[in-house]
Amino acid sequence: MLQTMRDNAQGIIAKVIVFFIIFVFALWGVESIVNIGSGDTPVAEVGDIKVSEPEVQRVIEQQKANLRRQFGEQFDENLFNDQLLRQSAIEQLIQQNVDAVQADRLGLYAASAVVDEAIVNIPAFQLDGRFNKEQFLSVLRLNGWTPLTFRANLAEDIKVNQARQALTMTSIPTPFQARFGAMLNNELRTISYIEIRARDLMDDIQLTDDDVQSYYDANSSRFQTPEQAKVRYVGFDRAAMAADESVSEDEISKAYEDYLSDLSEKEQRSSRHILIEAGADRSSEEALAKANELKSKLDAGADFAELAKSDSDDIASGSNGGDLGYVSHGAFVPEFEAALFALQKGEVSQPVKTEFGYHIIQLLDIKAPEADSLEKRHDELAEWIRNEKAGQQIAEQTQELSNLAFSSGSVDEVADALGLKVQESGLFTRDFGEGFVASDAVRQQAFAENMLLDRELSDLVETEEGVYVFAVSEHDEPKTLPLTVVRNQVENLIKRDKAGELARAMADKIAAGEETSAAWVSVAVNYSQSAEIPRAAQSRAFALQQGELDVVDVQGGATVVRVDAIQIPELADLVASDEERTQIENRSARNSMTSYRKWSQENVEIKRPGA
């Protein structure tokens, strides 16, 4: 389909399309073109904000990526219900937009300076601990952001967090709440319990072939291979291009000079100063005269720290002998910095004029990173130069690659035009791949409908390794594995379910007094204390009255729990510790946040037409 459009791009069809666009622009404006074909039903609506299907899919992919990082090689996509992940993603996006709507209603905003400060402090945008513009742009490109969209989203996050902090940072318990919380935390309960483990019952469960076949037929989607694909790709590989670059000794020498210059920027200097302000109460001439007088005293042997304490107008540092600590380049105004970095260790400057007045500066110490020799850095610098040259070449040829990708019908045509070699990936899934397809951006494009059905060439994609275009060469739909292959897995699942049912039935009999042979285990615990009893059963015990019992479904079985005794400390005798006060504050903050979110959702119109 796309190739047909390319072939006709210069013909009568193109002219008709251009005429149509101009005509529509003239009558209705650009929005009429944007809105053509955009009538898809949103997944959800929060006020005037529409949640689109691509947004939902992006969050689902993020959820799967997080699960893959958590479980590593043990991650099995078939174990996670797609509908559950989808619903979770929709609710997450709804909550994000509800928070944004309420933040707007509260009149909150994020100042540009606050957004800028947040950006420069994000570690992903830093090199050697400092913000780097090229690193910033590179990270945004890899994640499909533009600087403007990233700033807008970050500003929205900052605005929403202001509302959250207003709630969580003002949750301060009263003295009574603190004592009452301490009383609850120190309440001691003697609990008896019987734990029925499902795994202990699995060996006694007998299955028929019909049991296995019926379960397999009813749950066949759980025993499928993942959807997979292969791609053929071509492009400019940074490492390969760097290996072909030549580097001269002059270039290495120049790079070494740049290395030394960069290293000097990281030098830290410890100093102290005496500030003499000029202003309404003291003219510039008078300030300079006093500064010269203090400099003369210092030259005559006066103690710098004592003069700073008695005469400096910088109250903050003056009380500390004028000490400014260690700083790097960029910490002070240019005039002060120039004077400071021109001093030798122990030297005292002449009065230095800045917008604040006159400063007398003494350099106390220098922390300079030790520079490696040219010989030691030689190979590393050569590699850096090759990579830089390769990066420049890629930048120069990226547009040509993009143009060819649009006008060509296959990866082979692009490769022939550029004299490059076509490569093919191994099989990969939507969530995992190796090598070229380890990139989320590559996998996301590869499984797009136009790529799978029409086998179109991809858009230009940039990875850490280089810049490429690709096309899907193989696509395997999920297939149900034969019962002979997954029989053991099916049997284990059936036995696990039946064992859980048996465990619950046995626990119910014990609770009803029909089974008396099981031995009770007794434990004395408070609510937050760890014990051998399953956590869910322990929590349930703190909701029962003395003498009551109940059956609790726990992971891997069921537990019968009974409360034998309750010991409550006297409220008047309790004093909450700092740790308990912190726990109460945190609990109050969570409750406040939960209430706020519930109120927010009730006061914002939410629709779920496509959920």
Side-chain angles (χ1 to χ4, degrees), residues 5 155 196 221 482 512 534 536 544:
M5 292 177 62
I196 313 297
S221 61
L544 299 175

Side-chain angles (χ1 to χ4, degrees), residues 132-185:
N132 182 279
K133 183 179 179 181
E134 292 304 318
Q135 176 74 2
F136 167 66
L137 295 174
S138 176
V139 171
L140 293 192
R141 281 195 300 270
L142 287 174
N143 289 276
W145 293 93
T146 67
L148 287 178
T149 56
F150 180 77
R151 283 182 61 86
N153 280 274
L154 181 59
E156 197 71 25
D157 288 343
I158 292 172
K159 185 170 63 177
V160 168
N161 282 331
Q162 289 173 355
R164 292 173 182 165
Q165 290 171 352
L167 291 166
T168 58
M169 297 179 69
T170 55
S171 299
I172 302 172
T174 64
F176 173 79
Q177 287 175 313
R179 291 201 311 276
F180 187 76
M183 181 189 74
L184 294 178
N185 288 339

Side-chain angles (χ1 to χ4, degrees), residues 448-460:
E449 186 174 340
N450 64 308
M451 297 288 292
L452 295 176
L453 297 181
D454 301 331
R455 299 298 169 97
E456 295 179 0
L457 281 175
S458 71
D459 294 331
L460 200 68

Side-chain angles (χ1 to χ4, degrees), residues 418-434:
L418 295 173
L420 299 172
K421 180 182 177 182
V422 177
Q423 301 181 71
E424 187 170 37
S425 74
L427 284 169
F428 60 94
T429 67
R430 289 178 180 268
D431 304 307
F432 181 75
E434 295 181 342

Side-chain angles (χ1 to χ4, degrees), residues 249-548:
E249 289 301 320
D250 286 343
E251 289 174 318
I252 293 175
S253 296
K254 176 62 170 63
Y256 182 70
E257 291 175 8
D258 292 339
Y259 157 73
L260 294 177
S261 176
D262 291 342
L263 211 59
S264 68
E265 291 294 316
K266 299 174 185 176
E267 177 184 284
Q268 291 186 317
R269 294 197 163 204
S270 171
S271 63
R272 55 187 177 183
H273 82 138
I274 299 171
L275 170 64
I276 306 301
E277 290 181 333
D281 298 330
R282 183 190 292 134
S283 68
S284 180
E285 292 78 11
E286 291 171 334
L288 177 59
K290 182 172 182 181
N292 282 325
E293 178 186 343
L294 293 174
K295 177 62 167 66
S296 297
K297 290 182 179 180
L298 291 169
D299 291 341
D303 185 86
F304 196 106
E306 292 303 321
L307 283 182
K309 291 178 182 178
S310 61
D311 292 272
S312 180
D313 291 324
D314 182 354
I315 299 174
S317 70
S319 61
N320 197 31
D323 189 14
L324 297 172
Y326 282 94
V327 296
S328 303
H329 284 278
F332 298 126
V333 293
E335 302 89 344
F336 190 105
E337 180 175 302
L340 172 61
F341 280 86
L343 293 174
Q344 300 297 316
K345 185 175 179 178
E347 186 180 1
V348 177
S349 73
Q350 296 296 324
V352 177
K353 185 178 181 181
T354 72
E355 60 190 277
F356 305 106
Y358 287 91
H359 307 259
I360 302 171
I361 309 164
Q362 183 179 30
L363 176 61
L364 300 176
D365 192 25
I366 300 173
K367 284 183 179 178
E370 187 175 346
D372 294 331
S373 66
L374 174 57
E375 181 181 8
K376 185 175 181 179
R377 283 274 173 174
H378 185 279
D379 293 345
E380 182 181 335
L381 291 172
E383 183 67 21
W384 179 83
I385 294 168
R386 290 190 186 94
N387 286 329
E388 286 295 299
K389 288 184 175 182
Q392 291 173 5
Q393 279 205 46
I394 289 175
E396 292 168 1
Q397 298 185 54
T398 292
Q399 188 59 51
E400 183 179 2
L401 178 61
S402 179
N403 293 339
L404 284 169
F406 178 79
S407 61
S408 301
S410 69
V411 171
D412 295 292
E413 287 184 35
V414 177
D416 291 342
L418 295 173
L420 299 172
K421 180 182 177 182
V422 177
Q423 301 181 71
E424 187 170 37
S425 74
L427 284 169
F428 60 94
T429 67
R430 289 178 180 268
D431 304 307
F432 181 75
E434 295 181 342
F436 172 66
V437 290
S439 166
D440 290 340
V442 172
R443 296 196 308 277
Q444 187 173 357
Q445 277 202 57
F447 283 99
E449 186 174 340
N450 64 308
M451 297 288 292
L452 295 176
L453 297 181
D454 301 331
R455 299 298 169 97
E456 295 179 0
L457 281 175
S458 71
D459 294 331
L460 200 68
V461 60
E462 181 177 354
T463 70
E464 293 183 2
E465 288 74 31
V467 181
Y468 308 89
V469 293
F470 64 90
V472 174
S473 57
E474 182 179 331
H475 177 227
D476 297 333
E477 294 282 0
K479 296 182 180 65
T480 301
L481 294 166
L483 178 56
T484 53
V485 174
V486 296
R487 187 179 184 92
N488 287 340
Q489 183 182 353
V490 174
E491 289 181 352
N492 284 332
L493 290 172
I494 299 172
K495 287 182 177 182
R496 185 189 66 185
D497 291 347
K498 288 183 175 294
E501 294 170 2
L502 284 174
R504 175 71 196 207
M506 291 176 65
D508 287 337
K509 285 185 177 181
I510 294 171
E514 299 173 11
E515 170 61 55
T516 59
S517 62
W520 292 84
V521 178
S522 182
V523 62
V525 293
N526 59 42
Y527 184 80
S528 58
Q529 187 176 350
S530 296
E532 291 296 321
I533 181 174
R535 182 64 202 176
Q538 180 176 336
S539 298
R540 177 60 182 149
F542 276 83
L544 299 175
Q545 299 294 323
Q546 185 171 327
E548 286 186 332

